[in-house]
């Protein structure tokens, strides 16, 4: 399993944990005469944060669990920002305008908009989460890097 799939599962599990934790803390910390408003407000925010994480990840759950992925192929440019944290690699498809970002670094000879590559990006069917990518030489179609 690669980093992107683990990140997806971490988001989904984080949402479940936030919801369960907020409900348990509410019943554990409340007294017979009530709960302070500030604590109640924080627990509601924690619960809403968990609901937001699940709302964001749930539509793609069946695609990730059943490995039902789509592959986008075409000419792209690769950009790598050495200063960003975490270090990411960005793939831009010029003709379609698609953009994909991965928590990885491909060791390529050159980056930037002047150097085209042939890219195969695997995503969930709804294109919400990136799974993996492969970079090929534009002229020879030789595999240069694979994140799989």
């Amino acid at each position: 399993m690669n980093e992107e799939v683990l990140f997806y599962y971490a988001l989904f599990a984080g949402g479940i944990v936030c919801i369960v934790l907020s409900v348990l803390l509410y019943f554990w910390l409340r007294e017979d005469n009530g709960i302070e408003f500030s604590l109640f407000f924080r627990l509601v925010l924690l619960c809403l944060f968990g609901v937001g994480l699940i709302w964001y990840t749930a539509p793609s759950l069946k695609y990730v669990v059943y490995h039902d992925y789509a592959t986008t192929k075409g000419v792209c440019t690769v950009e790598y920002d050495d200063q960003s944290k975490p270090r990411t690699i960005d793939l831009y498809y010029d003709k379609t305008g698609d953009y994909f970002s991965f928590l990885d670094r491909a060791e390529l000879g050159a980056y930037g908009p002047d150097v085209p590559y042939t890219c195969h990006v695997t995503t969930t069917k709804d294109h919400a989460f990136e799974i993996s990518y492969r970079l090929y030489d534009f002229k020879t179609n030789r595999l240069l890097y694979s994140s799989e």
Side-chain angles (χ1 to χ4, degrees):
M1 220 181 289
N2 62 12
E3 289 179 7
E4 280 74 18
V5 175
L6 290 176
F7 181 68
Y8 172 83
Y9 282 126
L11 285 177
F12 187 73
I16 292 172
V17 166
C18 285
I19 291 173
V20 169
L21 187 64
S22 66
V23 170
L24 289 177
L25 283 174
Y26 172 75
F27 286 113
W28 185 49
L29 295 176
R30 73 180 174 115
E31 300 173 358
D32 291 334
N33 57 356
I35 191 170
E36 288 183 21
F37 179 74
S38 64
L39 179 60
F40 177 74
F41 182 70
R42 284 186 241 154
L43 291 176
V44 168
L45 285 179
L46 181 64
C47 184
L48 288 176
F49 180 70
V51 168
L53 286 177
I54 290 178
W55 187 277
Y56 178 65
T57 57
S60 301
L61 182 62
K62 68 179 179 179
Y63 302 126
V64 174
V65 170
Y66 294 119
H67 301 285
D68 192 13
Y69 303 139
T71 302
T72 305
K73 300 176 183 179
V75 177
C76 71
T77 56
V78 178
E79 294 194 12
Y80 176 72
D81 186 9
D82 206 13
Q83 305 300 322
S84 67
K85 299 234 178 186
R87 292 185 173 140
T88 60
I89 189 166
D90 301 324
L91 307 175
Y92 297 98
Y93 284 88
D94 298 329
K95 291 185 180 178
T96 62
D98 291 334
Y99 162 77
F100 301 102
S101 182
F102 291 91
L103 300 171
D104 193 12
R105 178 170 186 202
E107 297 295 332
L108 301 172
Y111 299 99
D114 296 335
V115 184
Y117 292 97
T118 302
C119 300
H120 295 189
V121 176
T122 304
T123 62
T124 56
K125 289 258 183 167
D126 58 356
H127 293 272
F129 293 96
E130 296 89 359
I131 305 299
S132 64
Y133 68 95
R134 290 180 305 225
L135 298 175
Y136 295 90
D137 188 316
F138 180 69
K139 295 177 183 174
T140 64
N141 274 338
R142 185 177 57 100
L143 180 65
L144 298 175
Y145 186 80
S146 176
S147 69
E148 298 171 334

